[in-house]
Amino acid sequence: MDESEDVPKDFIKLKSEKLSVDEVSELVISPCCGAVSLFIGTTRNNFQGKKVIHLEYEAYMSMAETEIKKICRDVRQKWPSVKHIAVHHRLGVVPVTEASVIIAISSPHRAESLEAVMYCINTLKASVPIWKKEIYEGEYSWKENKECFWTNSEK
Amino acid sequence: MDESEDVPKDFIKLKSEKLSVDEVSELVISPCCGAVSLFIGTTRNNFQGKKVIHLEYEAYMSMAETEIKKICRDVRQKWPSVKHIAVHHRLGVVPVTEASVIIAISSPHRAESLEAVMYCINTLKASVPIWKKEIYEGEYSWKENKECFWTNSEK
Amino acid sequence: MCSSVAFFSVGRAPLIELAGLRCETLSVPRQITSLQLWEEIVKIHPRLAVIRDQVVFAVQQEYVLLGDQLLVLQPGDEVAIIPPISGG
Amino acid sequence: MCSSVAFFSVGRAPLIELAGLRCETLSVPRQITSLQLWEEIVKIHPRLAVIRDQVVFAVQQEYVLLGDQLLVLQPGDEVAIIPPISGG
């Protein structure tokens, strides 16, 4: 691939199929970049001592995509050398140990992609309209990110 | 898997075969962790305007493994909640866009794994006896990490 | 002047379960603060009152906090009631 | 007292190419500073002198900077000359 052809791209996807780390990392790899950083959010098997059966995610789809695009725009302003950004979020049922979100970012050098991934997941949790229901044995609970920007409970 | 069985593990490998992001991330995923962070170092196609054909890595094998184990130990001291750590480094020829190193770390919450991955790659570059030769058209150059702790040139 | 806006809660999230609310239309003044709009909605769905501090609006998919901000609504505008998020 | 140590440069890296050096044994005092050890090696391989500021030792796979640090060597100890690293 000619370097000049490798224009920065954002890959945003909300889907109910299983997420693939290989797929997401391949999306952002670029011949002019030496670094790819990733964050994978996975379903934990417990919450405050309660056994978690699985998670269920739902989204305000169109707005969630818009908000993720805004995050990508912010990332490019803060770290102009960032090349590609991929954000895949799973919806519906997510079993324990499977990924609910994968974020991958490439950059020529590593500091930018590492910092950008951290910013990206923090901001996603604060501003993207997606909801998670934790299913326990015989009960469930709608979760609330402590980062949610209008409640920002930092509980 | 029972959470109590999932004792913290270090997965360290130096090998000449292609590295797999899926494989390395699977190694560290844990049912009691909600976060996996990864760093992938990939071969860039250029260095200061010169076209890079490929890289060649070699290691002082036994000592490199020892030094990576030390890094794992440091990580666990600094971030005690870290669960699994995987560090795979490729040796021999690494073509452009392929991974030379993949680091993956899991933790219950994301801040620890993100910070630990950053520490891990920074320290690896400073202290693990591995060498990289960049092959250009008709010439080559042995590289030198600016992080190398005894030269620490920060050029 | 009046403007008819569609308001709805997204997700089956807490709101739906609290008020059985999915999607409705409501006629409101074309210029109205976000807090006044909230109060109009609460008149119809009093059970929502308790989550006043938990929610924000998304007007045409842009976040708007409940407060003195003046909204200028067009007929057909989409107003979503957004409970605390938990993506990621 | 003398101790015979194996010293070598790891990798085909700069060192090998500079001095054609791979692995040799050398008899040195059992107690010797790391800088003195370096000087013993340079006596045999004068071309190494120019990279004095670039290298460190690994004695039994532990880094040792060239300087006043006293080494207590056992016969057969492994001393590697380590050029600047570039892993990752």
Side-chain angles (χ1 to χ4, degrees):
Chain A
M1 196 186 333
D2 186 344
E3 184 181 352
S4 58
E5 291 173 25
D6 200 20
V7 292
K9 282 190 277 292
D10 300 336
F11 304 91
I12 297 167
K13 199 180 268 183
L14 304 173
K15 61 172 188 177
S16 48
E17 294 80 36
K18 197 173 176 181
L19 304 183
S20 157
V21 185
D22 261 350
E23 182 191 336
V24 177
S25 65
E26 286 295 330
L27 283 174
V28 303
I29 284 176
S30 166
C32 53
C33 285
V36 173
S37 298
L38 289 105
F39 176 79
I40 310 172
T42 55
T43 299
R44 294 168 59 193
N45 64 359
N46 73 91
F47 175 72
Q48 294 179 348
K50 277 184 283 196
K51 188 179 169 196
V52 175
I53 311 294
H54 66 249
L55 301 187
E56 284 176 28
Y57 283 91
E58 57 182 65
Y60 184 4
M61 289 286 283
S62 53
M63 184 174 170
E65 284 173 11
T66 306
E67 288 295 317
I68 296 173
K69 276 183 204 140
K70 280 186 196 167
I71 296 174
C72 295
R73 209 175 50 209
D74 291 349
V75 163
R76 297 187 181 289
Q77 262 184 344
K78 287 173 190 283
W79 297 278
S81 71
V82 157
K83 182 63 79 175
H84 304 308
I85 305 174
V87 180
H88 281 200
H89 202 300
R90 189 165 171 188
L91 300 177
V93 171
V94 181
V96 169
T97 76
E98 291 190 12
S100 52
V101 64
I102 303 180
I103 296 171
I105 298 181
S106 56
S107 58
H109 303 287
R110 72 185 181 286
E112 294 79 1
S113 70
L114 283 163
E115 290 169 16
V117 161
M118 209 178 281
Y119 173 85
C120 205
I121 179 64
N122 289 344
T123 312
L124 182 148
K125 287 194 165 247
S127 71
V128 177
I130 295 178
W131 295 270
K132 169 167 65 184
K133 194 176 181 173
E134 259 178 13
I135 317 295
Y136 317 112
E137 276 164 342
E139 53 174 343
Y140 69 86
S141 158
W142 284 103
K143 308 298 291 183
E144 196 176 320
N145 288 343
K146 64 179 190 309
E147 301 86 352
C148 174
F149 79 84
W150 61 92
T151 55
N152 204 348
S153 45
E154 293 292 345
K155 283 187 259 246
Chain B
M1 197 183 335
D2 186 345
E3 184 180 351
S4 57
E5 292 173 25
D6 201 21
V7 293
K9 282 190 277 292
D10 300 336
F11 303 92
I12 297 167
K13 200 179 267 182
L14 304 173
K15 61 173 190 175
S16 48
E17 294 80 35
K18 197 172 175 179
L19 304 183
S20 155
V21 185
D22 261 348
E23 183 191 337
V24 177
S25 64
E26 286 295 329
L27 283 174
V28 303
I29 284 176
S30 166
C32 54
C33 285
V36 173
S37 299
L38 289 105
F39 176 78
I40 310 172
T42 55
T43 299
R44 295 168 59 192
N45 64 0
N46 72 91
F47 174 73
Q48 295 182 346
K50 277 186 284 198
K51 188 179 169 195
V52 175
I53 310 294
H54 65 250
L55 302 187
E56 284 177 29
Y57 283 90
E58 58 181 64
Y60 183 6
M61 288 285 284
S62 53
M63 183 174 172
E65 283 173 13
T66 306
E67 287 294 317
I68 295 173
K69 276 181 204 140
K70 281 186 197 168
I71 297 174
C72 294
R73 210 174 50 210
D74 292 349
V75 163
R76 297 186 182 288
Q77 262 184 343
K78 286 171 189 282
W79 296 278
S81 70
V82 156
K83 182 63 78 174
H84 304 307
I85 305 174
V87 180
H88 282 200
H89 203 299
R90 190 164 171 188
L91 300 178
V93 171
V94 181
V96 169
T97 76
E98 291 189 11
S100 52
V101 64
I102 303 180
I103 296 171
I105 298 181
S106 56
S107 59
H109 303 286
R110 71 185 181 285
E112 293 80 2
S113 70
L114 283 163
E115 290 167 17
V117 160
M118 209 178 279
Y119 172 85
C120 205
I121 179 65
N122 289 343
T123 313
L124 183 149
K125 288 196 164 244
S127 70
V128 177
I130 295 178
W131 296 269
K132 168 167 68 183
K133 193 175 180 173
E134 259 177 15
I135 317 294
Y136 317 111
E137 276 162 344
E139 53 173 341
Y140 68 85
S141 159
W142 284 102
K143 307 298 291 182
E144 196 175 321
N145 287 344
K146 66 179 188 311
E147 301 87 352
C148 174
F149 78 84
W150 62 90
T151 55
N152 204 347
S153 46
E154 294 291 344
K155 286 188 262 250
Chain C
M1 277 193 298
C2 252
S3 181
S4 176
V5 300
F7 75 97
F8 61 101
S9 65
V10 284
R12 292 180 305 271
L15 278 183
I16 288 289
E17 300 185 346
L18 189 70
L21 177 65
R22 178 66 82 173
C23 184
E24 293 180 29
T25 56
L26 176 68
S27 285
V28 293
R30 193 166 278 207
Q31 301 211 350
I32 187 171
T33 71
S34 58
L35 187 56
Q36 286 165 344
L37 178 60
W38 173 254
E39 284 159 357
E40 292 295 316
I41 295 170
V42 168
K43 272 184 203 159
I44 311 169
H45 295 282
R47 302 184 63 185
L48 290 180
V50 298
I51 56 166
R52 155 82 174 79
D53 294 335
Q54 298 293 305
V55 298
V56 292
F57 285 129
V59 179
Q60 296 289 89
Q61 305 192 12
E62 290 285 336
Y63 285 115
V64 178
L65 298 174
L66 274 54
D68 295 333
Q69 185 178 338
L70 194 65
L71 305 175
V72 181
L73 298 166
Q74 304 300 320
D77 270 3
E78 192 176 286
V79 177
I81 302 169
I82 310 272
I85 54 179
S86 45
Chain D
M1 277 194 296
C2 252
S3 181
S4 175
V5 300
F7 75 97
F8 61 101
S9 65
V10 285
R12 290 181 305 271
L15 279 185
I16 288 290
E17 300 185 346
L18 189 69
L21 177 65
R22 176 67 82 173
C23 184
E24 294 179 30
T25 56
L26 176 68
S27 285
V28 293
R30 196 167 276 208
Q31 300 211 352
I32 187 172
T33 71
S34 58
L35 187 55
Q36 285 165 344
L37 178 59
W38 173 254
E39 284 159 359
E40 292 297 317
I41 296 170
V42 168
K43 274 185 202 157
I44 312 170
H45 295 282
R47 301 184 63 185
L48 289 180
V50 297
I51 57 166
R52 156 80 175 80
D53 295 334
Q54 299 292 304
V55 297
V56 291
F57 284 129
V59 179
Q60 295 290 88
Q61 305 192 13
E62 290 287 336
Y63 285 115
V64 178
L65 297 174
L66 275 53
D68 295 333
Q69 186 178 337
L70 194 66
L71 304 175
V72 181
L73 298 167
Q74 304 300 320
D77 270 3
E78 191 176 287
V79 177
I81 302 169
I82 311 273
I85 54 179
S86 45

